[in-house]
Amino acid sequence: MQDWWKKATVYQIYPRSFNDSNGDGVGDLQGMIEKLDYLKELGIDLIWLSPVYDSPNDDNGYDIRDYYSINPEFGTMEDFDQLLDEVHKRDMKLMMDLVVNHTSDEHQWFKEHEDYYIWREKPNNWQSIFGGSAWEYDEEKGKYYLHLFSKKQPDLNWENPELRKRIYEMMHWWLQKGVDGFRMDVINFISKHPDLPDGPNGDGSDYFMNGPRIHEFLQEMNDEVLSHYNCVTVGEMPGTTPEDAQVYTDPNNREVNMIFTFEHMDLDHGPDEKWDYKPLNLIDLKENLEKWQNALYDKGWNSLYWNNHDQPRIVSRFGDDTNYRYESATMLATCLHFLQGTPYIYQGEEIGMTNVAFSSIADYKDIETLNMYNDKKNNGIRERKILDQIHHVSRDNARTPMQWTANEQASFTTGTPWIQVNPNFSEINVESDLKQSKSIYNYYKALIKLRKEVSLITTGKFKLIYREHPNLFAYKREGKGETITVYCNFSDQTIEVDEQPKGETLIHNYDVQANSHQITLRPYETIVYKGQ
Ligand code: NOJ
């Protein structure tokens, strides 16, 4: 099927933290192979691997030194080939991370091809997303290069046709090996305004996000590479509206199949920065998801996600990881998986892994977190306040090792893990979830199975109901004389809905209904009906 990815459920592996097979404390490719049956059993169709390429790891692999080799911490190219083969044998697919907005400063290109990068005599006022100026002075060259992320991640100059050709060659190389697609890292940053003008208060995002040649570059990439394969593409695109997404994902435009939006993930950020977190207003979330569902219906395609390696854990963020961990994790899963689009599950989400709260900054590893800490410390902000922000927002919340069992180091490694295991592993782990019939894992498995059986989940038109309710997220999916209705209680308060239960129950996260005459939703209860 051409659009096979419309029916797929994706699982993201963050290689360093998934499963370590050789005791060096870092997850690896053989470790992934050991767990493929686990993923198959869950119902996964497509695996997305965060970068496994050779890298000095300034940003955990998002700084690539060599696109054609595997980071030795993860294994060898033979291990990779074996992984790909084992994935395909199980009738699953594998998607690579494609990081081509920037390379590592240790990439050969940075040493040999000045014109593959962006240089200026004088920096503009843009700030790096990881803090500080986006420009670094090169003593030898006597000028500055642009780095929208760390200074070890210089931005590539997509204006240079030779550079583009080198990237397309590399993509062909991986696709010919048999990989099934790409998740494209900040791909809407590749076209910058040619003059690189100053931005208001150092925010140059208007000049590097969705820039003047972005559609041209993506179309060229399609013509040169992607159109020759039956592959899937998802573009990570911060700062993109549903209207932009219509253009990017409209198949007639030949750009990408779907994009990762950030809008729904930014709703609990303060006005100045993401570290200034605030409680979610559910009405904002409903309105936002409604906008995306409607904008892309029949035009493009949505990707659906709550979690990835850059986001705190959803059960700790929009749920209640203390009193209602099972109920809120399964409610959030239901809310997302009944929407139209391709759902993404991030490792550990399927067992309701939570945020972590290390008491010392020494236990944190993420460059963004460490830069922010140092910056705030220098500005006199209290340690306690900074740590509180880190506990809620840091990307390391997602990066603690996968919790496989209640044994030492959660059986992630026999050695010392590169980042500490969340101390709650003895309670929250795969082994315990697999044993119990009522578990978050089994609930995810049921959701994934339903998506394969009930085609309306893929095709139905979205309709928001109870729009003004502060705690209830309810919606319908309609089509061909059938309707699915999804009710999600986002709070620990009981909600009485003025309706009778009707139709077949597709899924429910409590054992029995509270009331047979009226829909009553207990804390974080979710229920889905299908009927005429
Ligand atoms: C987005 C990736 O998801 C993130 O982890 C990384 O730090 C930046 N892009 C830079 O590559």
PDB file of all heavy atoms in Angstrom, residues 11-19 307 313 345-351 353 398-402:
ATOM      1  N   TYR A  11       6.953   3.463  17.035  1.00  0.00           N
ATOM      2  CA  TYR A  11       7.602   3.418  18.356  1.00  0.00           C
ATOM      3  C   TYR A  11       8.967   4.071  18.229  1.00  0.00           C
ATOM      4  O   TYR A  11       9.763   3.688  17.373  1.00  0.00           O
ATOM      5  CB  TYR A  11       7.764   1.966  18.793  1.00  0.00           C
ATOM      6  CG  TYR A  11       8.213   1.767  20.228  1.00  0.00           C
ATOM      7  CD1 TYR A  11       7.275   1.607  21.251  1.00  0.00           C
ATOM      8  CD2 TYR A  11       9.557   1.707  20.563  1.00  0.00           C
ATOM      9  CE1 TYR A  11       7.671   1.402  22.572  1.00  0.00           C
ATOM     10  CE2 TYR A  11       9.970   1.504  21.877  1.00  0.00           C
ATOM     11  CZ  TYR A  11       9.020   1.351  22.877  1.00  0.00           C
ATOM     12  OH  TYR A  11       9.405   1.126  24.184  1.00  0.00           O
ATOM     13  N   GLN A  12       9.223   5.051  19.066  1.00  0.00           N
ATOM     14  CA  GLN A  12      10.536   5.729  19.008  1.00  0.00           C
ATOM     15  C   GLN A  12      11.491   5.118  20.007  1.00  0.00           C
ATOM     16  O   GLN A  12      11.187   5.006  21.207  1.00  0.00           O
ATOM     17  CB  GLN A  12      10.387   7.223  19.303  1.00  0.00           C
ATOM     18  CG  GLN A  12      11.738   7.948  19.227  1.00  0.00           C
ATOM     19  CD  GLN A  12      11.728   9.359  19.770  1.00  0.00           C
ATOM     20  OE1 GLN A  12      10.675   9.886  20.135  1.00  0.00           O
ATOM     21  NE2 GLN A  12      12.895   9.972  19.838  1.00  0.00           N
ATOM     22  N   ILE A  13      12.679   4.765  19.509  1.00  0.00           N
ATOM     23  CA  ILE A  13      13.753   4.282  20.382  1.00  0.00           C
ATOM     24  C   ILE A  13      14.800   5.382  20.533  1.00  0.00           C
ATOM     25  O   ILE A  13      15.280   5.937  19.541  1.00  0.00           O
ATOM     26  CB  ILE A  13      14.410   3.016  19.788  1.00  0.00           C
ATOM     27  CG1 ILE A  13      13.416   1.852  19.826  1.00  0.00           C
ATOM     28  CG2 ILE A  13      15.691   2.664  20.548  1.00  0.00           C
ATOM     29  CD1 ILE A  13      13.982   0.536  19.321  1.00  0.00           C
ATOM     30  N   TYR A  14      15.134   5.682  21.764  1.00  0.00           N
ATOM     31  CA  TYR A  14      16.254   6.596  22.053  1.00  0.00           C
ATOM     32  C   TYR A  14      17.418   5.682  22.415  1.00  0.00           C
ATOM     33  O   TYR A  14      17.481   5.122  23.525  1.00  0.00           O
ATOM     34  CB  TYR A  14      15.869   7.525  23.206  1.00  0.00           C
ATOM     35  CG  TYR A  14      16.804   8.695  23.366  1.00  0.00           C
ATOM     36  CD1 TYR A  14      16.906   9.663  22.374  1.00  0.00           C
ATOM     37  CD2 TYR A  14      17.592   8.825  24.504  1.00  0.00           C
ATOM     38  CE1 TYR A  14      17.767  10.741  22.511  1.00  0.00           C
ATOM     39  CE2 TYR A  14      18.453   9.901  24.645  1.00  0.00           C
ATOM     40  CZ  TYR A  14      18.534  10.862  23.647  1.00  0.00           C
ATOM     41  OH  TYR A  14      19.381  11.934  23.780  1.00  0.00           O
ATOM     42  N   PRO A  15      18.327   5.463  21.459  1.00  0.00           N
ATOM     43  CA  PRO A  15      19.272   4.348  21.565  1.00  0.00           C
ATOM     44  C   PRO A  15      20.076   4.283  22.868  1.00  0.00           C
ATOM     45  O   PRO A  15      20.239   3.213  23.435  1.00  0.00           O
ATOM     46  CB  PRO A  15      20.192   4.551  20.357  1.00  0.00           C
ATOM     47  CG  PRO A  15      19.350   5.292  19.370  1.00  0.00           C
ATOM     48  CD  PRO A  15      18.483   6.190  20.193  1.00  0.00           C
ATOM     49  N   ARG A  16      20.547   5.407  23.354  1.00  0.00           N
ATOM     50  CA  ARG A  16      21.385   5.378  24.571  1.00  0.00           C
ATOM     51  C   ARG A  16      20.651   4.803  25.763  1.00  0.00           C
ATOM     52  O   ARG A  16      21.268   4.338  26.712  1.00  0.00           O
ATOM     53  CB  ARG A  16      21.771   6.809  24.991  1.00  0.00           C
ATOM     54  CG  ARG A  16      22.608   7.576  24.073  1.00  0.00           C
ATOM     55  CD  ARG A  16      23.102   8.855  24.752  1.00  0.00           C
ATOM     56  NE  ARG A  16      24.319   8.598  25.508  1.00  0.00           N
ATOM     57  CZ  ARG A  16      25.466   8.274  24.961  1.00  0.00           C
ATOM     58  NH1 ARG A  16      25.580   8.131  23.672  1.00  0.00           N
ATOM     59  NH2 ARG A  16      26.531   8.076  25.717  1.00  0.00           N
ATOM     60  N   SER A  17      19.329   4.920  25.752  1.00  0.00           N
ATOM     61  CA  SER A  17      18.578   4.619  26.972  1.00  0.00           C
ATOM     62  C   SER A  17      17.635   3.430  26.820  1.00  0.00           C
ATOM     63  O   SER A  17      16.784   3.218  27.691  1.00  0.00           O
ATOM     64  CB  SER A  17      17.747   5.847  27.378  1.00  0.00           C
ATOM     65  OG  SER A  17      18.568   6.968  27.486  1.00  0.00           O
ATOM     66  N   PHE A  18      17.767   2.665  25.749  1.00  0.00           N
ATOM     67  CA  PHE A  18      16.766   1.619  25.528  1.00  0.00           C
ATOM     68  C   PHE A  18      17.185   0.286  26.148  1.00  0.00           C
ATOM     69  O   PHE A  18      16.530  -0.216  27.062  1.00  0.00           O
ATOM     70  CB  PHE A  18      16.499   1.483  24.029  1.00  0.00           C
ATOM     71  CG  PHE A  18      15.337   0.580  23.708  1.00  0.00           C
ATOM     72  CD1 PHE A  18      14.062   0.871  24.189  1.00  0.00           C
ATOM     73  CD2 PHE A  18      15.498  -0.550  22.922  1.00  0.00           C
ATOM     74  CE1 PHE A  18      12.983   0.044  23.887  1.00  0.00           C
ATOM     75  CE2 PHE A  18      14.426  -1.385  22.622  1.00  0.00           C
ATOM     76  CZ  PHE A  18      13.172  -1.080  23.109  1.00  0.00           C
ATOM     77  N   ASN A  19      18.284  -0.291  25.678  1.00  0.00           N
ATOM     78  CA  ASN A  19      18.712  -1.576  26.238  1.00  0.00           C
ATOM     79  C   ASN A  19      20.187  -1.798  25.921  1.00  0.00           C
ATOM     80  O   ASN A  19      20.571  -1.769  24.764  1.00  0.00           O
ATOM     81  CB  ASN A  19      17.858  -2.699  25.635  1.00  0.00           C
ATOM     82  CG  ASN A  19      18.120  -4.035  26.293  1.00  0.00           C
ATOM     83  OD1 ASN A  19      18.430  -4.094  27.491  1.00  0.00           O
ATOM     84  ND2 ASN A  19      18.023  -5.107  25.530  1.00  0.00           N
ATOM     85  N   ASN A 307       4.823  12.443  23.580  1.00  0.00           N
ATOM     86  CA  ASN A 307       6.154  12.251  24.135  1.00  0.00           C
ATOM     87  C   ASN A 307       7.191  12.064  23.054  1.00  0.00           C
ATOM     88  O   ASN A 307       6.889  11.491  22.012  1.00  0.00           O
ATOM     89  CB  ASN A 307       6.199  10.953  24.965  1.00  0.00           C
ATOM     90  CG  ASN A 307       5.783  11.169  26.400  1.00  0.00           C
ATOM     91  OD1 ASN A 307       4.809  10.588  26.860  1.00  0.00           O
ATOM     92  ND2 ASN A 307       6.492  12.002  27.105  1.00  0.00           N
ATOM     93  N   ARG A 313       7.702  13.586  30.496  1.00  0.00           N
ATOM     94  CA  ARG A 313       6.778  12.455  30.400  1.00  0.00           C
ATOM     95  C   ARG A 313       5.327  12.923  30.558  1.00  0.00           C
ATOM     96  O   ARG A 313       4.994  13.663  31.489  1.00  0.00           O
ATOM     97  CB  ARG A 313       7.103  11.436  31.494  1.00  0.00           C
ATOM     98  CG  ARG A 313       8.474  10.792  31.331  1.00  0.00           C
ATOM     99  CD  ARG A 313       8.376   9.702  30.318  1.00  0.00           C
ATOM    100  NE  ARG A 313       9.660   9.070  30.068  1.00  0.00           N
ATOM    101  CZ  ARG A 313       9.788   8.072  29.188  1.00  0.00           C
ATOM    102  NH1 ARG A 313       8.760   7.635  28.497  1.00  0.00           N
ATOM    103  NH2 ARG A 313      10.953   7.526  28.990  1.00  0.00           N
ATOM    104  N   ILE A 345       4.632   6.371  19.777  1.00  0.00           N
ATOM    105  CA  ILE A 345       4.804   6.019  21.192  1.00  0.00           C
ATOM    106  C   ILE A 345       6.289   6.140  21.492  1.00  0.00           C
ATOM    107  O   ILE A 345       7.115   5.599  20.760  1.00  0.00           O
ATOM    108  CB  ILE A 345       4.327   4.571  21.452  1.00  0.00           C
ATOM    109  CG1 ILE A 345       2.833   4.447  21.140  1.00  0.00           C
ATOM    110  CG2 ILE A 345       4.622   4.152  22.887  1.00  0.00           C
ATOM    111  CD1 ILE A 345       2.328   3.011  21.129  1.00  0.00           C
ATOM    112  N   TYR A 346       6.631   6.856  22.533  1.00  0.00           N
ATOM    113  CA  TYR A 346       8.038   6.994  22.897  1.00  0.00           C
ATOM    114  C   TYR A 346       8.371   5.961  23.967  1.00  0.00           C
ATOM    115  O   TYR A 346       7.591   5.754  24.903  1.00  0.00           O
ATOM    116  CB  TYR A 346       8.292   8.410  23.429  1.00  0.00           C
ATOM    117  CG  TYR A 346       9.715   8.591  23.899  1.00  0.00           C
ATOM    118  CD1 TYR A 346      10.778   8.563  22.989  1.00  0.00           C
ATOM    119  CD2 TYR A 346      10.015   8.739  25.250  1.00  0.00           C
ATOM    120  CE1 TYR A 346      12.093   8.698  23.407  1.00  0.00           C
ATOM    121  CE2 TYR A 346      11.330   8.878  25.678  1.00  0.00           C
ATOM    122  CZ  TYR A 346      12.361   8.847  24.749  1.00  0.00           C
ATOM    123  OH  TYR A 346      13.661   8.969  25.171  1.00  0.00           O
ATOM    124  N   GLN A 347       9.519   5.340  23.837  1.00  0.00           N
ATOM    125  CA  GLN A 347       9.890   4.253  24.754  1.00  0.00           C
ATOM    126  C   GLN A 347       9.565   4.576  26.218  1.00  0.00           C
ATOM    127  O   GLN A 347       9.915   5.633  26.720  1.00  0.00           O
ATOM    128  CB  GLN A 347      11.375   3.916  24.606  1.00  0.00           C
ATOM    129  CG  GLN A 347      12.326   5.009  25.010  1.00  0.00           C
ATOM    130  CD  GLN A 347      13.793   4.647  24.729  1.00  0.00           C
ATOM    131  OE1 GLN A 347      14.130   4.087  23.699  1.00  0.00           O
ATOM    132  NE2 GLN A 347      14.676   4.957  25.673  1.00  0.00           N
ATOM    133  N   GLY A 348       8.886   3.631  26.853  1.00  0.00           N
ATOM    134  CA  GLY A 348       8.518   3.810  28.258  1.00  0.00           C
ATOM    135  C   GLY A 348       7.137   4.412  28.450  1.00  0.00           C
ATOM    136  O   GLY A 348       6.513   4.251  29.497  1.00  0.00           O
ATOM    137  N   GLU A 349       6.636   5.082  27.414  1.00  0.00           N
ATOM    138  CA  GLU A 349       5.282   5.658  27.499  1.00  0.00           C
ATOM    139  C   GLU A 349       4.271   4.523  27.685  1.00  0.00           C
ATOM    140  O   GLU A 349       3.266   4.675  28.389  1.00  0.00           O
ATOM    141  CB  GLU A 349       5.004   6.431  26.199  1.00  0.00           C
ATOM    142  CG  GLU A 349       3.695   7.167  26.157  1.00  0.00           C
ATOM    143  CD  GLU A 349       3.511   7.933  24.832  1.00  0.00           C
ATOM    144  OE1 GLU A 349       4.514   8.153  24.103  1.00  0.00           O
ATOM    145  OE2 GLU A 349       2.366   8.296  24.532  1.00  0.00           O
ATOM    146  N   GLU A 350       4.561   3.385  27.044  1.00  0.00           N
ATOM    147  CA  GLU A 350       3.618   2.260  27.073  1.00  0.00           C
ATOM    148  C   GLU A 350       3.556   1.573  28.433  1.00  0.00           C
ATOM    149  O   GLU A 350       2.722   0.705  28.637  1.00  0.00           O
ATOM    150  CB  GLU A 350       3.970   1.251  25.955  1.00  0.00           C
ATOM    151  CG  GLU A 350       5.153   0.326  26.223  1.00  0.00           C
ATOM    152  CD  GLU A 350       6.526   0.958  25.960  1.00  0.00           C
ATOM    153  OE1 GLU A 350       6.620   2.190  25.901  1.00  0.00           O
ATOM    154  OE2 GLU A 350       7.502   0.185  25.831  1.00  0.00           O
ATOM    155  N   ILE A 351       4.440   1.959  29.374  1.00  0.00           N
ATOM    156  CA  ILE A 351       4.302   1.450  30.746  1.00  0.00           C
ATOM    157  C   ILE A 351       4.117   2.612  31.729  1.00  0.00           C
ATOM    158  O   ILE A 351       4.254   2.443  32.936  1.00  0.00           O
ATOM    159  CB  ILE A 351       5.506   0.566  31.169  1.00  0.00           C
ATOM    160  CG1 ILE A 351       6.827   1.327  30.993  1.00  0.00           C
ATOM    161  CG2 ILE A 351       5.514  -0.747  30.382  1.00  0.00           C
ATOM    162  CD1 ILE A 351       8.014   0.682  31.738  1.00  0.00           C
ATOM    163  N   MET A 353       5.965   5.410  32.186  1.00  0.00           N
ATOM    164  CA  MET A 353       7.148   5.959  32.875  1.00  0.00           C
ATOM    165  C   MET A 353       6.945   7.436  33.169  1.00  0.00           C
ATOM    166  O   MET A 353       6.263   8.145  32.438  1.00  0.00           O
ATOM    167  CB  MET A 353       8.421   5.715  32.038  1.00  0.00           C
ATOM    168  CG  MET A 353       8.982   4.312  32.267  1.00  0.00           C
ATOM    169  SD  MET A 353      10.449   3.930  31.254  1.00  0.00           S
ATOM    170  CE  MET A 353      11.643   5.155  31.822  1.00  0.00           C
ATOM    171  N   ALA A 398      12.844  12.371  29.864  1.00  0.00           N
ATOM    172  CA  ALA A 398      12.511  11.332  28.881  1.00  0.00           C
ATOM    173  C   ALA A 398      13.677  10.384  28.649  1.00  0.00           C
ATOM    174  O   ALA A 398      13.530   9.373  27.983  1.00  0.00           O
ATOM    175  CB  ALA A 398      12.133  11.992  27.559  1.00  0.00           C
ATOM    176  N   ARG A 399      14.852  10.741  29.174  1.00  0.00           N
ATOM    177  CA  ARG A 399      16.058  10.033  28.744  1.00  0.00           C
ATOM    178  C   ARG A 399      16.595   9.064  29.784  1.00  0.00           C
ATOM    179  O   ARG A 399      17.618   8.426  29.561  1.00  0.00           O
ATOM    180  CB  ARG A 399      17.126  11.053  28.332  1.00  0.00           C
ATOM    181  CG  ARG A 399      16.636  11.915  27.170  1.00  0.00           C
ATOM    182  CD  ARG A 399      17.620  12.982  26.763  1.00  0.00           C
ATOM    183  NE  ARG A 399      17.051  13.773  25.664  1.00  0.00           N
ATOM    184  CZ  ARG A 399      17.712  14.698  24.994  1.00  0.00           C
ATOM    185  NH1 ARG A 399      18.971  14.971  25.305  1.00  0.00           N
ATOM    186  NH2 ARG A 399      17.125  15.367  24.016  1.00  0.00           N
ATOM    187  N   THR A 400      15.945   8.956  30.933  1.00  0.00           N
ATOM    188  CA  THR A 400      16.405   7.955  31.906  1.00  0.00           C
ATOM    189  C   THR A 400      16.173   6.572  31.291  1.00  0.00           C
ATOM    190  O   THR A 400      15.297   6.399  30.436  1.00  0.00           O
ATOM    191  CB  THR A 400      15.657   8.089  33.247  1.00  0.00           C
ATOM    192  OG1 THR A 400      14.267   7.891  33.017  1.00  0.00           O
ATOM    193  CG2 THR A 400      15.909   9.445  33.896  1.00  0.00           C
ATOM    194  N   PRO A 401      16.983   5.583  31.701  1.00  0.00           N
ATOM    195  CA  PRO A 401      16.911   4.277  31.037  1.00  0.00           C
ATOM    196  C   PRO A 401      15.534   3.622  31.100  1.00  0.00           C
ATOM    197  O   PRO A 401      14.782   3.782  32.064  1.00  0.00           O
ATOM    198  CB  PRO A 401      17.936   3.446  31.815  1.00  0.00           C
ATOM    199  CG  PRO A 401      18.915   4.444  32.328  1.00  0.00           C
ATOM    200  CD  PRO A 401      18.098   5.659  32.661  1.00  0.00           C
ATOM    201  N   MET A 402      15.259   2.878  30.056  1.00  0.00           N
ATOM    202  CA  MET A 402      14.027   2.091  29.969  1.00  0.00           C
ATOM    203  C   MET A 402      13.989   1.128  31.159  1.00  0.00           C
ATOM    204  O   MET A 402      15.003   0.506  31.497  1.00  0.00           O
ATOM    205  CB  MET A 402      14.062   1.329  28.638  1.00  0.00           C
ATOM    206  CG  MET A 402      12.860   0.513  28.346  1.00  0.00           C
ATOM    207  SD  MET A 402      11.411   1.542  28.013  1.00  0.00           S
ATOM    208  CE  MET A 402      10.191   0.233  27.862  1.00  0.00           C
TER     209      MET A 402
END
